[in-house]
Amino acid sequence: MRRPVLLVVAHGSRDPRHAATVHELVRRVRARRPGLRVETGFLDFNVPSVGAVLESLDAEGVRDVVALPLLLTRAFHAKADIPAVLAEAPPRLRIRQADVLGPSPLLLAALERRLNEAGLTPADKSSTGVVLASAGSSDPEAIAVIADVAREWRHTGWCAVRPAFASASLPRTEDAVRELRELGCARVAVAPYVLAPGRLPDRIAQGAAGADVLADVLGPSPEVAQVLLERYDAARTPLLTALGA
C-alpha cells in the first residue's frame, strides 16, 4: 500500500519570503524521505490553496492524506481553520490531521543552531539571557506552551529565558530585552520562535533593537524538517492500522 501523501498546510503571507521559506523547508523534507510525496497548500494569500491541492489529489486517485499544520502551537488555525478546510475535502479522501510541530526538543535544538549562527557559542550560555519571541496568540493554551518552552530551555544553561510576543499577548520583545538587562545578564539575545519571515517576525526584529544578538527564524533547518517527518509518522500509523496495512 502506498504511503499517505503528506500535505503541509502553511498559513500564507503577503510577504514573498514566507512562501519561499515554506517551499525550501518542504524541499528539505523531501530530501530526507525519498519516495514520500509531499505537497504544500496555503490557508490564505498564497497558492495553491489547501482546498485546491486536495481536489487535485482526489482527481489523481489519491485516497490517503496526512495534513500537517505548519504551526508551532495549537491555536485557532490548528483548532478551527484547518479542520474546517479539511472537512470540505472530497469525501473519497481519507485525511488525518497531524499534530502541530511544537513543543519538541528538536525545535530547541533549532533555536540553538540559529543563535550559534548569529555568533553565540556554548561558552556564552551562562552569561546570556534569551528572549523566546513568538508571533503571539489570544489562545491561552498556546501562550502556556510558549511559557513552558521558555522554562524548559532555561534549564539547558542559559542565564535566563523570557517569553515575548509580537501580537495579541504581552510582554513585547523590547520589554523582555529590557527585563533581562535589568536582571544583570551580560548579553541579551533574541531567538524568534517562528517558522518563516513576515510581518510579525519583522516586528520581533524591531523589538530586538536593544539586544546584542538577533537570531534568524527557524526556517528550513534540518531539525524542523525532522519534526515534520516525526509528526507525519505519528499521524500515518493509526491511519494505516485502520486500513489493515
Side-chain angles (χ1 to χ4, degrees):
M1 179 175 291
R2 292 181 179 178
R3 287 180 289 186
V5 171
L6 169 55
L7 171 58
V8 176
V9 180
H11 182 275
S13 171
R14 292 186 178 90
D15 190 322
R17 297 174 298 168
H18 175 90
T21 301
V22 170
H23 290 310
E24 187 176 352
L25 174 59
V26 168
R27 284 193 292 270
R28 185 178 286 272
V29 171
R30 291 188 182 117
R32 294 176 77 90
R33 186 72 62 87
L36 172 61
R37 181 172 179 180
V38 187
E39 300 291 341
T40 308
F42 295 90
L43 293 174
D44 206 354
F45 302 117
N46 302 106
V47 292
S49 68
V50 175
V53 175
L54 292 172
E55 292 283 353
S56 178
L57 292 173
D58 177 64
E60 291 180 32
V62 171
R63 291 296 167 260
D64 300 308
V65 177
V66 170
L68 197 160
L70 198 60
L71 301 167
L72 295 172
T73 60
R74 270 183 49 79
F76 182 79
H77 294 304
K79 294 177 179 179
D81 283 351
I82 294 176
V85 171
L86 298 181
E88 297 176 355
R92 291 178 295 185
L93 287 175
R94 292 180 290 261
I95 305 174
R96 186 171 186 88
Q97 182 176 328
D99 288 338
V100 297
L101 304 185
S104 167
L106 285 169
L107 294 177
L108 291 182
L111 287 166
E112 300 247 357
R113 171 190 292 274
R114 293 303 187 225
L115 286 171
N116 291 339
E117 291 169 350
L120 291 181
T121 69
D124 297 323
K125 292 187 73 169
S126 63
S127 59
T128 301
V130 180
V131 178
L132 180 70
S134 74
S137 173
S138 58
D139 188 305
E141 178 186 350
I143 298 304
V145 167
I146 298 300
D148 287 344
V149 171
R151 282 191 291 269
E152 180 180 351
W153 201 17
R154 162 69 180 86
H155 293 152
T156 65
W158 296 101
C159 174
V161 179
R162 294 289 186 272
F165 308 93
S167 68
S169 307
L170 296 174
R172 294 288 183 255
T173 302
E174 54 268 32
D175 299 326
V177 169
R178 184 166 51 252
E179 180 185 349
L180 290 172
R181 291 283 188 211
E182 293 171 354
L183 189 64
C185 297
R187 67 182 61 78
V188 175
V190 173
Y193 192 55
V194 293
L195 289 166
R199 178 176 58 88
L200 293 180
D202 284 348
R203 189 177 296 175
I204 290 171
Q206 292 169 3
D212 301 294
V213 175
L214 171 62
D216 199 357
V217 298
L218 297 176
S221 67
E223 294 86 358
V224 175
Q226 184 59 36
V227 175
L228 263 71
L229 290 171
E230 289 185 358
R231 297 293 183 259
Y232 168 79
D233 289 337
R236 71 184 284 262
T237 300
L239 179 59
L240 294 180
T241 300
L243 297 174

